[in-house]
Amino acid sequence: MSGDAVVVGGGLAGTLAVAALLGHVDTVTVVERDRYPEQPVFRKGVPQGRHLHVFLSGGQQALEKLLPGATAELEAAGAHRMEAPRDVLTRTPNGWHRRLHEGRHAVISCTRPLLDATVRARLLAEAAASGTRLEVLQAWEAIGLLGVADRVTGVRVRSRDAGHAERDLPVDLVVDASGRGSRAPRWLAELGRPAPREEVVDAGIGYSTQMFRPAEPLRTAVVLEPRPALPRGAAWSPVEGGHWLLTLAGVRGHHPPTDGSAVPDFVASLGEPYLLDHLGTCEAVSPPYAYRDTANRRRDYHAPDGVPEGFIAVSDAACTFNPIYGQGMSVAVLSGLALRECVADGGPRRPGFAAAAQRAVARASETAWLTAVGADRPYAAGADDTPPGAGERLQTWYFGRLAARATHDPVVGAAFRDVTHLAAPPSRLLTPAVALRTILLPRRPGPADIPLRVEGAAG
């Protein structure tokens, strides 16, 4: 082991960054603005904390490599595992996905407080046996970077308690895991570096989440995707404690209500009586909580000379997606795993480490970025009205056919789910078996009615 590190932000992304560094550096100091609660509760410092959180299968696989046993501990604590597509009924603009038992992918659904508490506890257990010294500064905040334009040598922090004491933390590596609100671009500019270029795709999607207790829970989650004629959607999923979360979403002019009395009318507008009728049997145990900061945003830290030595940004601090697609937590784990593979290859003192690690983190988020931006771009404000070129028209034609076939074609559907669950790169959709079925077989929609029975099963 060699070197010391600071992780700015002690949320999920920061916790996973620490996990990546364990055993490869001498000390890790976490700088966290909040104080961790003794029990899993919603906290102000996690703005999306009351909304639905899921782990896709690609994220679960990475989590087991990073923190072995964490997924089993989540399930033991009450998180729900659901096989897709068998236990997740999904209506797309092309119809319903067939309810098949594939045995390939599963989704873990739980509340954010349970997730954070379980992963943090698993991390502390791993840290005790790692040989890395871990210090957590609760109720402290980072206020700037130390160093010069081509090398970061630490971070300046300030206490949020009375007195607001300040101190410098000299280290070999600063990991920015402070989320969407990262101030690192400004801090780097103060060291004499240009601010990173940003790519933003904002569909103006807003969503709200409300917690319910059903009189009789469903056996399945339900997802209703927006469609061009009605850009509204919903997700209904179980969490721990016998509760279910209802997330409603819509683009500009179709934002869901924050008044609980208006929720049934919004659900009725989605045209799925199965969910509406079930909702009528449920008891609301919270009001709807709204969230509007849903832009896809990528900072080009991964570009040549994008970061100085001694600094990298991970997860939402580097690349953030519309949370409605449920990719963020899985990407955070994949980014942590990418960081571990880099730090194991020589540590943060190795020349060129920061650039190599930043590129690896960017690759870990590429599939999620492409899928989220592809879904949001048609709704984005200020979208380019320039007629698409031949290549873009061909791509749109191909993926339109593929999405339609994925609803009912087992071969195409399996490949589609491999990619959307972040278990395979987008190139999986271009393999000969998938491409030939997409191009040569007729395009037709999926089932028009909700598939309440598993195909080939008695019930």
Side-chain angles (χ1 to χ4, degrees):
M1 293 190 295
S2 66
D4 302 318
V6 162
V7 175
V8 179
L12 180 67
T15 300
L16 296 167
V18 173
L21 296 170
L22 291 180
H24 301 292
V25 298
D26 298 301
T27 66
V28 179
T29 302
V30 178
V31 181
E32 168 54 39
R33 287 172 52 88
D34 287 350
R35 291 191 182 277
Y36 294 122
E38 294 184 3
Q39 300 295 328
V41 294
F42 298 109
R43 59 190 180 100
K44 185 177 180 180
V46 184
Q48 298 173 27
R50 293 184 179 273
H51 301 282
L52 180 61
H53 286 74
V54 296
F55 256 129
L56 304 174
S57 56
Q60 295 170 44
Q61 295 162 14
L63 184 62
E64 282 303 296
K65 294 178 181 178
L66 203 58
L67 291 171
T71 54
E73 291 179 7
L74 278 169
E75 292 182 64
H80 286 255
R81 175 180 290 273
M82 299 174 289
E83 183 188 319
R86 184 192 66 189
D87 304 327
V88 184
L89 307 185
T90 302
R91 189 188 73 186
T92 77
N94 297 293
W96 290 92
H97 276 266
R98 291 170 60 188
R99 192 177 177 191
L100 305 173
H101 170 53
E102 287 183 342
R104 296 169 63 88
H105 299 292
V107 174
I108 291 179
S109 174
C110 63
T111 65
R112 180 63 181 268
L114 176 67
L115 172 73
D116 286 351
T118 303
V119 172
R120 189 163 58 247
R122 184 77 234 129
L123 171 74
L124 293 175
E126 292 285 325
S130 69
T132 295
R133 179 175 175 269
L134 174 62
E135 180 183 9
V136 181
L137 298 180
Q138 299 184 54
W140 284 75
E141 61 182 338
I143 58 173
L145 296 171
L146 308 177
V148 293
D150 61 354
R151 178 174 292 275
V152 169
T153 59
V155 64
R156 179 165 295 141
V157 298
R158 179 173 60 206
S159 171
R160 304 189 73 204
D161 292 335
H164 303 292
E166 295 186 7
R167 57 187 283 204
D168 290 348
L169 301 177
V171 291
D172 301 285
L173 177 65
V174 175
V175 180
D176 179 15
S178 58
R180 284 176 172 255
S182 168
R183 291 174 287 172
R186 189 186 75 194
W187 297 340
L188 290 169
E190 290 170 353
L191 296 182
R193 297 187 65 85
R197 186 182 65 86
E198 291 189 355
E199 181 180 0
V200 180
V201 177
D202 185 2
I205 291 176
Y207 64 92
S208 69
T209 299
Q210 187 173 11
M211 183 176 285
F212 291 85
R213 179 178 289 276
E216 294 184 7
L218 297 179
R219 293 185 180 182
T220 63
V222 178
V223 176
L224 306 177
E225 295 182 359
R227 54 189 187 273
L230 184 68
R232 297 180 176 187
W236 176 250
S237 186
V239 293
E240 68 278 8
H243 294 137
W244 287 60
L245 292 181
L246 175 68
T247 293
L248 304 176
V251 303
R252 299 175 183 86
H254 292 270
H255 285 172
T258 54
D259 177 358
S261 65
V263 165
D265 286 342
F266 188 95
V267 175
S269 75
L270 302 176
E272 182 40 60
Y274 180 72
L275 179 57
L276 179 63
D277 292 345
H278 175 65
L279 195 63
T281 70
C282 299
E283 174 192 0
V285 296
S286 83
Y289 292 92
Y291 192 78
R292 299 287 185 265
D293 185 11
T294 61
N296 303 281
R297 186 184 306 273
R298 179 165 62 175
R299 299 182 172 110
D300 70 343
Y301 289 127
H302 55 286
D305 197 33
V307 290
E309 290 288 359
F311 173 88
I312 63 170
V314 299
S315 196
D316 284 0
C319 184
T320 185
F321 324 95
N322 186 341
I324 202 69
Y325 302 119
Q327 303 174 113
M329 295 195 311
S330 296
V331 171
V333 186
L334 290 164
S335 298
L337 188 60
L339 175 58
R340 169 179 280 184
E341 292 170 353
C342 288
V343 78
D345 185 21
R349 290 177 177 170
R350 173 171 55 88
F353 168 81
Q358 196 67 65
R359 289 193 298 270
V361 167
R363 287 193 295 271
S365 66
E366 184 69 13
T367 297
W369 172 261
L370 291 173
T371 55
V373 166
D376 280 2
R377 196 177 294 280
Y379 303 105
D384 189 0
D385 291 330
T386 303
E392 185 176 348
R393 290 197 302 271
L394 178 61
Q395 179 177 311
T396 299
W397 174 84
Y398 179 80
F399 286 105
R401 291 180 66 88
L402 187 144
R405 287 212 64 84
T407 62
H408 57 82
D409 185 313
V411 174
V412 178
F416 179 82
R417 283 180 282 276
D418 285 349
V419 174
T420 56
H421 282 259
L422 305 182
S427 58
R428 171 80 169 89
L429 303 177
L430 299 174
T431 58
V434 174
L436 289 173
R437 297 180 74 87
T438 296
I439 295 170
L440 299 180
L441 296 181
R443 173 172 179 164
R444 60 182 176 86
D449 298 322
I450 187 169
L452 298 180
R453 289 180 175 270
V454 181
E455 293 189 32

